[in-house]
Structures are given as structure tokens and as C-alpha cells.
Amino acid sequence: MAEDTRIALIGIIVERAEAVEELNSIMHDYSQYIVGRMGVPYRDKGLSVISVIMDAPNNEISAFSGKLGMVEGITAKALYSKS
């Protein structure tokens, strides 16, 4: 039986351009769960804001968000669907 999945929106703020390579590597590792992403550079503040939509088991969403949050210069938070 397939594991239940949930929809989640991961909000990511990148404050260090040097962190982008590691961010992209982590996103590649979880690409099978990523439905879509949108990134907006906010040049006036020197940062980028990225939204990632995932359809994945809870543990994969948590692991993804947690790994991103451990990267210096990146803040990540997850917002989960109710079902």
C-alpha cells in the first residue's frame, strides 16, 4: 500500500547567495515530491523568496524543510494541508 501524502507549501528565504548551490542540491534530492516552485529575487533587500509546493509523506516534507533550515543563510518553514 502506498504511503499517504500531503500537500505542503514550503516558504524559503535566501539571505546569502552562497547558499544557493546547497539549496539547489537539496531541492534536487527531493525533486520527486516537488510539484512546482516560484522564486522572486528581492534585489533591494539583497535576498530571494522561494515558494515550493510538495506532495509527499509528512516525514519527507519535514526532512526537506529541516535540511534547508540547517543551511546558513536560509530560513524555511512548512505549511501543511489539513488532509
Side-chain angles (χ1 to χ4, degrees):
M1 180 176 184
E3 190 172 1
D4 288 336
T5 63
R6 291 176 74 183
I7 302 298
L9 173 65
I10 313 300
I12 305 166
I13 297 176
V14 181
E15 298 181 89
R16 289 183 63 240
E18 300 82 10
V20 172
E21 188 174 336
E22 192 168 355
L23 165 68
N24 286 333
S25 176
I26 294 168
M27 289 189 67
H28 176 76
D29 292 344
Y30 288 85
S31 62
Q32 71 189 51
Y33 301 115
I34 295 175
V35 176
R37 70 185 264 188
M38 179 181 69
V40 179
Y42 192 176
R43 290 181 185 90
D44 290 349
K45 298 286 183 179
L47 55 82
S48 294
V49 180
I50 302 169
S51 299
V52 176
I53 301 166
M54 298 182 76
D55 184 357
N58 280 339
N59 62 323
E60 296 292 344
I61 296 167
S62 294
F64 175 72
S65 182
K67 286 179 182 179
L68 290 175
M70 291 180 359
V71 177
E72 185 179 342
I74 293 179
T75 302
K77 299 292 179 185
L79 175 67
Y80 293 84
S81 65
K82 291 186 180 185
S83 56

